């Protein structure tokens, strides 16, 4: 049985409110009331009280907020289970992603340990898992390979340079490059956080980030193909480096090392099968089966017993030193060479971190501070860089595991760090026989989710062509250029789309919805009517310097009034009228003189044709439109250029006897108009109205009407 929908009704009766009356009724505060002098604000900011000190400490160290309230009974076991699950994932991902960064695998384990411990004290998210991440690893790898290429570390036999690479010296230098880049990127994040620049992440829209990670996944795959096929392609840099590298790998396929390829294929099959099994039994499994850990353990055992390295020349991880690395001061001389890469890493890492953090915070009902997240991530990178870690951010897969396995707080990160710590101290050497092809296979399979993001093209085609353009430009630029240049080009293009949208907004003429005080676009709604003699004009975006001229042109077009031509035409008519008045005056004098001289009728009497023309021309100049209402309800700010433009609109239309009014201004916009010198003796706040309907009623009353034509019975 169909349920009949019931509509509620309301009726409001009040006087028409212009801005001046509204301020009197609402008792609006003055500028001095809402804006204290700088000296007073500075004194207030440095004033120290116990509550303020406590609040400051909690904001700097968020752990002080939740740790005293931590309940071992409620949170202890869920955090422990979650931490163990995430720690198990850290091991294979840390070693595998270190290859993406062109670093020895043990440094991936370091990166999974130190930054996570730092984030516990400063981070505001309870569920993200800080550590290695695919995209950042690729970006670090592009820096380390650019500044530490193999050709710079070829061994010498005393007289000639051989083709053999001194891997120890190369890796040591690349670690220095990665550490310097990480420290510098961390410092950039800290500074941005301290100056409250957390909103910078909002400029990286979701289409941009998803396209960027999708293209970065292609870089990751190409970087791992050499390990999976056992080939040694040349390294390329600059534009089209990915294309040249892929072409070189394809040309090297005839030299594929078959045992290495077999290891890769078997590892991929096992990983995919285990992950599909996980997906099938996901509702029944309390903890997912650690596919990566099982694979590397099995591969290490098989490699050790079959001597894959010595017998079949399969490349293995090699020496993994046990024990923790001692802190070292980064090589500051490298800062100038890596500052661009460090800034790109800082921005991308923060964008991924804040997007994941806000997702989990919204789901679980807590708040994430964007500025504090910048500081927390920056300190994690800065401190981690001193321990030879490379740039970190949360991983989607690990964070989902931490959340779905019941993790409540960052104490789960303590448990996962203990797993990594034990591995570094005791178990690291056991993985020395692990084939690098297995780690590459782990990276390859884990990128499946990123490659699925290509389906965004279909979704965005249906929803937003502009976002689709951002996606495609980001994807193409990141593929063709390095990840840092690709990111820069993507951000520039995304900002251009914002400018383009504000420069080409939708301009509308509004009409009244019968029986209501609502006004909508007459072109997109059928049952609305334009108020006779009144043009209600609205822009879909705010008015500012970039579109002020376009705004004026659109108003002329929509109103049908070409002000310049009409002013010229009016002045010509006024000049003609003055000439006619003078001629009429001269004729009247001659007529009077003739009447005195003669008694017969004069041909220049008062009923003559010319006097009729003069009489008609003496009336007030009028047009079909007598009032224009500018709806500024969409404007959230107004700059000096827009202020002057609107003021000129008032002056120009007054020249042709058309009244102009403004409706729907926010209080901040009214204040900006006031500060910008918009108001004067002739242009007061009486020309501004609270709503469009207020302005319409005033216009009609001003012109002698009392109600809207055709709607007398429905509108009050």
């Amino acid at each position: 049985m169909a349920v009949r929908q019931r509509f509620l009704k309301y009726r409001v009766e009040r006087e028409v409110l212009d801005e001046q009356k509204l301020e009197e009724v609402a008792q609006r505060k003055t500028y001095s009331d809402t804006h204290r002098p700088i000296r007073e604000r500075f004194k207030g900011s440095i004033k120290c009280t116990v509550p303020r000190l406590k609040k400051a400490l909690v904001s700097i160290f968020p752990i002080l907020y939740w740790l005293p309230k931590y309940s071992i009974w409620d949170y202890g076991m869920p955090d422990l289970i979650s931490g163990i699950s995430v720690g198990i994932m850290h091991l294979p991902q840390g070693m595998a992603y270190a290859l993406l960064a062109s670093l020895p695998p043990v440094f991936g384990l370091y990166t999974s340990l130190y930054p996570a411990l730092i984030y516990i004290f400063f981070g505001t998210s309870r569920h993200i898992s800080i550590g290695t991440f695919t995209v950042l690893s690729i970006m670090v790898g592009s820096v380390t390979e650019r500044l530490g290429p193999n050709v710079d570390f070829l061994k010498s036999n005393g007289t000639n340079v051989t083709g053999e690479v001194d891997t120890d010296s190369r890796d040591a230098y690349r670690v220095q490059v990665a550490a310097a880049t990480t420290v510098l990127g961390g410092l950039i994040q800290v500074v941005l956080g301290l100056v409250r620049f957390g909103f910078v992440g909002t400029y990286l829209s979701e289409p941009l980030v998803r396209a960027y990670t999708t293209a970065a996944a292609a870089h990751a795959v190409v970087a791992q193909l050499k390990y999976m096929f056992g080939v040694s392609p040349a390294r390329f840099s600059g534009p089209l480096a990915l294309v040249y590298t892929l072409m070189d790998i394809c040309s090297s396929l005839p030299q594929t090392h078959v045992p290495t390829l077999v290891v890769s294929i078997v590892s991929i099959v096992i990983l995919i099968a285990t992950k599909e099994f996980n997906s099938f039994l996901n509702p029944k499994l309390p903890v997912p089966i650690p596919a990566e850990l099982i694979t590397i353990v099995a591969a290490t055992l098989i490699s050790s017993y079959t001597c894959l390295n010595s017998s079949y020349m399969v490349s293995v991880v090699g020496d993994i030193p046990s024990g923790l690395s001692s802190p070292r001061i980064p090589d500051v001389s490298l800062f100038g060479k890596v500052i661009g890469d460090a800034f790109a890493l800082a921005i991308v890492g923060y964008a991924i971190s804040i997007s994941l953090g806000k997702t989990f915070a919204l789901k679980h009902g807590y708040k994430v501070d964007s500025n504090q997240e910048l500081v927390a991530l920056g300190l994690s990178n800065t401190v981690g860089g001193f321990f030879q870690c490379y740039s970190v951010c949360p991983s989607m897969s690990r964070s989902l595991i931490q959340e779905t396995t019941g993790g409540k707080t960052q104490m789960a990160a303590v448990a996962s760090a203990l797993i990594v710590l034990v591995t570094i101290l005791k178990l690291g050497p056991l993985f020395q026989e692990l084939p690098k092809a297995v780690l590459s296979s782990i990276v390859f399979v884990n990128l499946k989710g990123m490659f699925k993001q290509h389906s965004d093209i279909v979704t965005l085609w249906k929803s937003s062509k502009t976002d689709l353009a951002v996606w495609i430009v980001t994807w193409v630029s990141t593929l063709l250029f390095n990840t840092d240049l690709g990111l820069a080009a993507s951000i520039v293009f995304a900002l251009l789309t914002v400018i383009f949208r504000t420069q080409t907004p939708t301009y509308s003429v509004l009409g009244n919805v019968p029986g209501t005080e609502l006004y909508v676009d007459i072109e997109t709604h059928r049952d609305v009517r334009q108020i006779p003699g009144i043009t209600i004009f609205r822009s879909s975006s705010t008015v500012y310097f970039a579109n002020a001229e376009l705004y004026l042109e659109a108003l002329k077009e929509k109103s049908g009034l070409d002000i310049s031509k009409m002013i010229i035409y009016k002045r010509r008519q006024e000049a003609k009228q003055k000439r006619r008045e003078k001629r009429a005056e001269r004729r009247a004098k001659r007529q009077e003189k003739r009447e005195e001289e003669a008694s017969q009728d004069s041909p220049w009497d008062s009923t003559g044709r010319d006097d009729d023309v003069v009489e008609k021309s003496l009336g007030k100049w009028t047009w079909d439109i007598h009032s224009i209402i500018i709806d500024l309800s969409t404007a959230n700010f107004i700059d000096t250029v827009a202020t002057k433009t609107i003021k000129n609109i008032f002056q120009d239309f007054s020249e042709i006897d058309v009244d102009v009014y403004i409706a729907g201004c926010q209080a901040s916009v009214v204040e900006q108009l006031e500060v910008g010198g918009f108001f004067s003796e002739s242009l007061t706040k009486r020309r501004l109205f609270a709503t469009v309907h207020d302005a319409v009623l005033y216009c009609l009353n001003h012109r002698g009407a009392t109600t809207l034509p055709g709607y007398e019975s429905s509108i009050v």
Side-chain angles (χ1 to χ4, degrees), residues 333-611:
S333 64
L334 294 171
F335 282 2
K337 300 178 181 179
V338 300
I339 186 169
D341 305 278
F343 187 81
L345 284 163
I347 298 301
V348 173
Y350 169 67
I352 295 170
S353 178
I354 197 63
S355 60
L356 280 178
K358 286 186 175 180
T359 299
F360 291 119
L362 182 64
K363 181 177 180 180
H364 293 276
Y366 63 91
K367 214 172 186 182
V368 170
D369 187 336
S370 58
N371 293 301
Q372 181 61 26
E373 282 298 296
L374 257 176
V375 174
L377 195 62
L379 290 174
S380 299
N381 279 315
T382 302
V383 176
F386 280 89
F387 289 91
Q388 290 78 58
C389 302
Y390 63 90
S391 295
V392 297
C393 73
S395 161
M396 171 67 80
S397 58
R398 291 195 310 270
S399 299
L400 283 174
I401 293 297
Q402 183 164 321
E403 188 258 347
T404 56
T405 53
K408 305 294 184 183
T409 68
Q410 282 296 332
M411 288 300 290
V414 177
S416 64
L418 290 175
I419 299 292
V420 177
L421 179 62
V422 171
T423 303
I424 294 174
L425 294 177
K426 299 294 182 182
L427 304 180
L430 299 179
F431 294 105
Q432 292 180 356
E433 294 298 319
L434 173 65
K436 289 183 179 180
V438 175
L439 296 178
S440 297
S441 300
I442 292 174
V443 173
F444 184 84
V445 174
N446 284 342
L447 292 173
K448 180 180 68 173
M450 290 189 181
F451 282 114
K452 286 183 177 180
Q453 292 176 165
H454 283 98
S455 61
D456 290 352
I457 296 176
V458 178
T459 304
L460 294 175
W461 174 263
K462 298 177 181 178
S463 60
S464 173
K465 300 297 190 297
T466 305
D467 287 341
L468 176 62
V470 171
W471 200 102
I472 293 175
V473 169
T474 302
W475 185 79
V476 171
S477 60
T478 307
L479 281 180
L480 297 183
F481 305 107
N482 290 332
T483 49
D484 52 348
L485 293 178
L487 177 65
S490 305
I491 293 176
V492 170
F493 182 79
L495 292 177
L496 289 177
T497 62
V498 174
I499 296 173
F500 176 77
R501 291 182 187 184
T502 58
Q503 280 195 308
T504 57
T506 302
Y507 297 107
S508 310
V509 173
L510 307 184
N512 179 253
V513 179
T516 73
E517 80 292 353
L518 304 177
Y519 295 83
V520 295
D521 188 354
I522 60 176
E523 293 184 1
T524 57
H525 297 78
R526 293 191 184 93
D527 196 16
V528 296
R529 294 183 182 178
Q530 188 172 355
I531 310 301
I534 301 175
T535 295
I536 307 170
F537 180 73
R538 181 174 67 190
S539 170
S540 61
S541 69
T542 191
V543 190
Y544 70 114
F545 70 92
N547 62 10
E549 189 67 29
L550 298 174
Y551 186 88
L552 178 59
E553 294 300 323
L555 175 59
K556 293 178 182 178
E557 180 183 351
K558 292 291 184 180
S559 64
L561 302 177
D562 191 326
I563 300 175
S564 301
K565 290 183 179 179
M566 296 178 77
I567 290 176
I568 294 173
Y569 181 70
K570 179 188 174 184
R571 289 175 178 171
R572 286 177 179 174
Q573 296 302 316
E574 289 175 345
K576 289 180 180 179
Q577 179 178 325
K578 289 180 180 179
R579 290 195 297 270
R580 288 168 181 165
E581 289 175 350
K582 289 181 179 180
R583 286 198 299 267
E585 185 179 351
R586 289 195 299 268
R587 288 169 182 170
K589 289 180 179 180
R590 288 198 298 267
Q591 177 70 15
E592 184 179 351
K593 184 177 181 180
R594 287 170 181 169
E595 287 178 352
E596 292 176 356
E597 294 177 350
S599 57
Q600 67 270 22
D601 293 337
S602 172
W604 297 98
D605 58 18
S606 60
T607 59
R609 176 178 174 275
D610 228 18
D611 282 346

Side-chain angles (χ1 to χ4, degrees), residues 137-171:
S137 300
I138 298 167
M139 296 174 72
V140 172
S142 67
V143 184
T144 55
E145 290 191 3
R146 185 183 78 242
L147 297 182
N150 289 336
V151 294
D152 290 352
F153 298 93
L154 298 177
K155 291 183 178 180
S156 174
N157 56 11
T159 56
N160 297 319
V161 176
T162 65
E164 188 179 356
V165 178
D166 186 353
T167 56
D168 293 337
S169 300
R170 181 201 63 187
D171 291 344

